[in-house]
Amino acid sequence: MAQRLCSAAFVAARRQLRASEPARVEVSGPAPGSAAPPALWQHPDFVLARAVRTAVITAAEADLIGATRLEEVAVAAYAARVGKTAKAVYKARDRAEARLVASINAGTLSDPDAEIIAEATMTLAIDPQYRC
């Protein structure tokens, strides 16, 4: 008898608790605050590598841009490392970046396989038997 009373009280309390909860809303799309990572072939290191491969900039210019822009090495420190003046390094970086920007805007640095890679990764089928 006591078990039935406890069970009835539990069911009634759970019903009232659920009734007082706010309604659940289904959200479609990515969770708030989340974003897909940038495409790997658009990573700055790969863009610089393609620019060197296509002779838009030299390997030394790619190193200069990578160190001073991506790795946040001070231009003065980079200049001392390579034995040049800071003014010469600034000029060299400006010229290399101008060619790089022009090439990107012209579309000559686009990866021809990027669309194929993007489509392949978007259409991957997940094995329904796979369990985390």
Side-chain angles (χ1 to χ4, degrees), residues 14-77:
R14 185 171 45 186
R15 187 177 300 127
Q16 281 194 331
L17 181 63
R18 285 187 181 159
S20 67
E21 290 179 350
R24 293 184 183 183
V25 178
E26 291 294 323
V27 177
S28 63
S34 68
L40 187 59
W41 58 89
Q42 293 176 342
H43 188 279
D45 289 335
F46 292 127
V47 173
L48 289 174
R50 278 198 308 276
V52 171
R53 190 176 65 238
T54 57
V56 171
I57 59 175
T58 66
E61 291 169 330
D63 181 59
L64 166 61
I65 294 169
T68 59
R69 295 292 191 190
L70 304 177
E71 297 170 14
E72 299 179 3
V73 173
V75 171

Side-chain angles (χ1 to χ4, degrees), residues 47 99-109:
V47 173
R99 289 193 315 275
L100 185 61
V101 168
S103 183
I104 290 170
N105 289 337
T108 57
L109 285 185

Side-chain angles (χ1 to χ4, degrees), residues 89-121:
V89 170
Y90 274 116
K91 283 185 175 184
R93 186 177 70 179
D94 288 345
R95 287 190 301 267
E97 287 177 340
R99 289 193 315 275
L100 185 61
V101 168
S103 183
I104 290 170
N105 289 337
T108 57
L109 285 185
S110 63
D111 190 345
D113 298 326
E115 289 182 28
I116 295 167
I117 293 168
E119 187 174 331
T121 57

